Amino acid sequence: MDAVRVALLREVLAGTEWLGTTRRFAGVLRGSVVSHGGGLLLVGTPEYEPWHLAAHLVDEAAWSGTPELAPTLVRHDARPSDPAHLAVGPGRLAAARRGETLLVVSPEEPDAPLLERVHDARRAGATVLALGPGEGGLAAMAHESLAVPEGTDLDLDTVQHLVSAAAGENALPAPRGPRRFRDRLARLTEQLTAPPPARW
């Protein structure tokens, strides 16, 4: 999902709780990695690896000038023969320490071995963030969680796009006041037709 689609999605969601909720969670994520100097570990489950979120966070890290947002993707089936950025296995969670942030993304409650590794990382001092189910052991042990309950208008993949885009924002958006539809449409048109920001 590119910046234009994220902008359109945000317009569609204007006035709902999702924009504020995803921005707040993204602010916690960004604040955690920046204040501690980085060390973002991103892990899913054996059935669900958050590839797209990892790629978007790498992009947002580069575009926003916030290298701390670039995660280390922890993969359950990583092999030593994989490229370096894909060869980090679950053993990396055992090495998590104070100052690191662990973001767990899962559409459902993770299995017991992963929950145990997350618990150990938290006990070692890592900040644990969770994106996925709103109840269960993962949500209970996370310092901050963003629940994506089933049956909502948004799915987990879409929420990940909103979170990654918000994490890369360098400034908070201007507060929304009552605006006419025409004003909102003009603002959206300006955003969509503006040239992309310079990326170095």
Side-chain angles (χ1 to χ4, degrees):
M1 188 177 291
D2 57 27
V4 172
R5 289 181 180 166
V6 170
L8 286 170
L9 181 59
R10 285 177 169 173
E11 279 299 314
V12 169
L13 295 173
T16 70
E17 66 182 40
W18 282 108
L19 286 184
T21 301
T22 53
R23 279 194 166 118
R24 181 189 54 77
F25 184 81
V28 172
L29 170 62
R30 182 177 174 131
S32 179
V33 297
V34 170
S35 65
H36 293 115
L40 174 59
L41 302 173
L42 176 61
V43 66
T45 66
E47 298 78 26
Y48 185 90
E49 290 191 333
W51 294 90
H52 283 102
L53 181 57
H56 285 297
L57 285 172
V58 167
D59 289 344
E60 294 296 339
W63 296 339
S64 67
T66 312
E68 299 90 349
L69 281 174
T72 297
L73 179 62
V74 177
R75 299 180 57 230
H76 293 272
D77 61 352
R79 295 172 304 230
S81 60
D82 289 335
H85 69 290
L86 299 176
V88 179
R92 176 60 179 88
L93 300 181
R97 294 291 175 257
R98 183 172 305 282
E100 292 186 305
T101 301
L102 172 58
L103 174 56
V104 184
V105 180
S106 175
E108 56 194 26
E109 179 72 3
D111 61 18
L114 178 56
L115 285 176
E116 186 175 329
R117 286 187 167 112
V118 172
H119 182 263
D120 290 345
R122 179 182 167 124
R123 204 168 49 208
T127 300
V128 175
L129 306 178
L131 182 56
E135 298 178 352
L138 177 60
M141 77 175 70
H143 292 93
E144 189 74 31
S145 65
L146 176 57
V148 186
E150 292 183 14
T152 61
D153 294 336
L154 297 179
D155 61 12
L156 181 60
D157 289 335
T158 303
V159 172
Q160 289 176 69
H161 287 294
L162 291 170
V163 168
S164 62
E169 291 177 341
N170 285 318
L172 292 174
R176 289 185 169 267
R179 292 184 294 169
R180 294 186 333 219
F181 175 76
R182 193 177 242 179
D183 296 333
R184 291 174 63 190
L185 187 58
R187 182 173 171 264
L188 177 60
T189 302
E190 288 174 6
Q191 289 176 340
L192 296 178
T193 58
R199 297 175 183 152
W200 305 102

